[in-house]
Amino acid sequence: IILDNIVRSTSTEHFYDGQFWTEATSDYFELSFPYISKSKINSGLEKLIDEGFIKTRISNNTNFYALTEKSSVFYPHLV
C-alpha cells in the first residue's frame, strides 16, 4: 500500500540524480493512511528501504523517496 502511494505521488517537479522523487513527510503518510499507525507506516518504509524497493534522501528536513531497479518488477514503466 505504501509503495503504491509513493508511485502515485511521484511528481515530475522533483527530478534529481536521474530519478523522479516523491516528497513525503510522516504527516503526509498519516493523512493518507489514517487506519495505519505511525509506527507501522515507519516500519513499512524501513522495510521497503531495507529490502531495496525504494531509496530515500533528505533535503531541507523533508524525506524524498524514489523507486529502485528492484521495483521495476511491479512498475516497469516508472523505473
Side-chain angles (χ1 to χ4, degrees), residues 27-71:
D27 290 340
Y28 166 79
F29 284 115
E30 283 184 88
L31 289 172
S32 297
F33 306 109
Y35 49 89
I36 302 175
S37 70
K38 186 175 186 171
S39 63
K40 292 235 186 232
I41 291 169
N42 290 333
S43 172
L45 287 168
E46 287 177 28
K47 191 169 185 174
L48 287 168
I49 293 166
D50 291 345
E51 293 188 12
F53 287 101
I54 61 173
K55 57 185 174 180
T56 187
R57 70 180 181 88
I58 300 173
S59 178
N60 298 325
N61 294 323
T62 301
N63 290 326
F64 288 84
Y65 301 94
L67 300 179
T68 64
E69 289 296 321
K70 192 170 184 179
S71 298

